[in-house]
Amino acid sequence: MGRLAAASLVGTAIEFFDFFVYGTAAALVLGPLFFPTFSPTAGTLAAFGTFAAGFLARPLGSVLFGHVGDRHGRRPVLFASLLLTGCATVAVGFVPTYATVGIAAPALLLALRFLQGLGLGGEWGGAVLLTAEHAPEHRRALWSSFPQIGPSIGFLLANGVMLALTAGLSDAEFRSWGWRVPFWAAGLLALVGLLLRSSLAETPQFEELSATGRRAGAPLAEIVRDHWRLVLLTAGALAVGYAVFYSVSTWALVYGTERLGVSSAVMLACVMAAVAVMGVATPFVALLGDRWGRRPLCMAGCAASALWMFPMAALLHSARPPLMFLGFLGALLAFITMFSVVAAYLPELYEPRVRCTGAAVGYNLGGVLGGALTPIVATTLSEGGSGPPWGVAAYLTLVALVSLGCFALLPETLPGRAGEPAPEAAVV
């Protein structure tokens, strides 16, 4: 289990490095380089539009790679998704700017971001099922939380590189070539990930499905026919996690640098410190999911998010690094209270024959609802005015309440929990 967990963690860290480095670049530099004819705000919104394209592609990636995972095994998904995302990310580092090729520059950026999202849409399902379907029943949430630590590491790597570059280069150097360095580095990281995954074994559940001839012929069709309500509920339930995370990791960078006049290095340092604490806390919170259940933790995370969004907006607007860090930390701890157990919860909600497709589609549709729109909506709501961004806080609170309602309609899946047995589809 240790080797499997490490391989899944490293893979998700690399894939999310690729995904996050684009979000940071969109917040800091892509607007003026690829949309120079727009106003500063419009350029930022356009850059966030290409950022959103990655989220729109993720459900398509989950359908494509989910079909592979349910028909041919979880293991092939881990290789194909990492290879696609890595190649697309490296290519972003070579895209010429608007000043060189005109409108072709943002078009290429959009296409490569779409491919990034396509690959990441398959990565999560494969990595999570690798651990969830190998893990012992009583520690499934713990072992499945290791792929969920990967995004924290990927974020720290991506923003650590960006922070070093912004601190070590002049503004002109960073805008000229420095921002490209993290995208080029993604190629080396992808090779490392592929090597680590080369010796992984297929999961016992899929081997049993193959041996008994019970693999799904058309996984997506079965999901649409038999599990559509479950997919919609899981997507709605997870939307708040994406909304909270990307409001902190992407929108707050723009708000802090452009509206409050805080340096990008300080903003990145505050966010990174909060993400580091969140990453360390992830397995410890997951242990509570093995003790008390998946749904109670998810509902507690939603409630905490709803209660914290207005304090976070006030702390962010203070422009004081310790207070901004506190605001970000509270939001991310609420986020990880949900997402530390999601990697066990979603696979348990779906029967094994369609699990790779169902869990991944629900997870990535939640990304569209909560992650794709949040930076755009938050930037629009915070435009104008001199006080704290109360409109953003209200929006995030509303999303949290909707997600809380969705979690309330989902069943508990903790195996053997007295008085609240897992549904038939959740048997692993």
Side-chain angles (χ1 to χ4, degrees):
M1 281 309 307
R3 184 173 59 85
L4 291 168
S8 63
L9 184 154
V10 170
T12 53
I14 292 169
E15 291 240 21
F16 277 92
F17 169 88
D18 297 350
F19 204 71
F20 288 144
V21 77
Y22 190 101
T24 305
L28 298 179
V29 74
L30 295 186
L33 290 179
F34 288 87
F35 304 95
T37 61
F38 292 14
S39 69
T41 299
T44 298
L45 288 171
F48 280 153
T50 62
F51 174 79
F55 283 97
L56 296 176
R58 285 174 65 168
L60 296 179
S62 64
V63 170
L64 172 64
F65 289 105
H67 181 87
V68 173
D70 286 324
R71 286 290 302 154
H72 305 289
R74 322 316 192 192
R75 191 169 175 270
V77 173
L78 297 174
F79 290 92
S81 61
L82 183 56
L83 185 63
L84 176 59
T85 306
C87 290
T89 305
V90 172
V92 170
F94 291 98
V95 174
T97 63
Y98 187 95
T100 304
V101 297
I103 194 66
L108 286 170
L109 202 63
L110 183 66
L112 291 172
R113 179 60 175 174
F114 187 88
L115 291 176
Q116 267 193 326
L118 204 67
L120 193 64
E123 163 66 23
W124 187 85
V128 162
L129 292 190
L130 178 73
T131 52
E133 292 188 343
H134 276 99
E137 192 175 81
H138 67 292
R139 285 290 180 262
R140 187 173 295 129
L142 172 63
W143 288 113
S144 298
S145 72
F146 281 85
Q148 298 296 78
I149 302 173
S152 298
I153 296 174
F155 182 88
L156 292 173
L157 286 173
N159 287 276
V161 174
M162 282 292 191
L163 182 59
L165 289 168
T166 55
L169 300 175
S170 67
D171 186 63
E173 289 172 329
F174 181 74
R175 289 175 179 268
S176 174
W177 58 269
W179 68 272
R180 299 180 183 273
V181 172
F183 293 93
W184 296 336
L188 179 60
L189 292 175
L191 288 176
V192 172
L194 290 171
L195 288 173
L196 286 172
R197 290 180 166 184
S198 62
S199 61
L200 297 179
E202 188 54 79
T203 69
Q205 273 71 34
F206 183 79
E207 289 181 341
E208 181 182 349
L209 288 172
S210 298
T212 57
R214 292 188 293 114
R215 287 179 295 173
L220 180 62
E222 288 193 34
I223 289 293
V224 172
R225 184 183 68 242
D226 301 328
H227 304 289
W228 62 269
R229 181 177 178 272
L230 181 57
V231 169
L232 294 179
L233 283 176
T234 52
L238 298 179
V240 64
Y242 285 99
V244 168
F245 187 87
Y246 286 100
S247 67
V248 169
S249 65
T250 303
W251 165 76
L253 293 178
V254 177
Y255 185 84
T257 54
E258 295 186 1
R259 289 290 305 279
L260 304 179
V262 181
S263 73
S264 58
V266 170
M267 290 302 303
L268 283 172
C270 290
V271 176
M272 288 173 63
V275 171
V277 176
M278 179 191 75
V280 171
T282 300
F284 297 100
V285 179
L287 278 171
L288 299 178
D290 280 324
R291 175 66 180 86
W292 302 107
R294 300 18 167 162
R295 192 178 71 158
L297 261 69
C298 291
M299 295 181 70
C302 284
S305 297
L307 294 172
W308 188 248
M309 292 304 99
F310 280 92
M312 185 189 78
L315 292 167
L316 170 61
H317 190 72
S318 73
R320 297 174 59 184
L323 297 181
M324 291 192 296
F325 163 74
L326 179 61
F328 298 153
L329 180 61
L332 293 181
L333 289 179
F335 159 79
I336 205 58
T337 301
M338 295 174 276
F339 272 56
S340 65
V341 296
V342 158
Y345 193 23
L346 263 65
E348 289 171 345
L349 285 168
Y350 293 89
E351 56 185 310
R353 60 186 280 114
V354 294
R355 179 174 291 152
C356 196
T357 301
V361 169
Y363 185 85
N364 288 296
L365 278 179
V368 174
L369 297 175
L373 297 179
T374 291
I376 298 172
V377 172
T379 300
T380 304
L381 290 175
S382 60
E383 181 67 14
S386 57
W390 299 130
V392 178
Y395 166 74
L396 294 173
T397 301
L398 177 62
V399 175
L401 293 175
V402 171
S403 292
L404 181 62
C406 291
F407 274 122
L409 295 174
L410 289 171
E412 177 55 69
T413 62
L414 180 65
R417 182 167 179 176
E420 202 170 357
E424 181 181 353
V427 176
V428 177

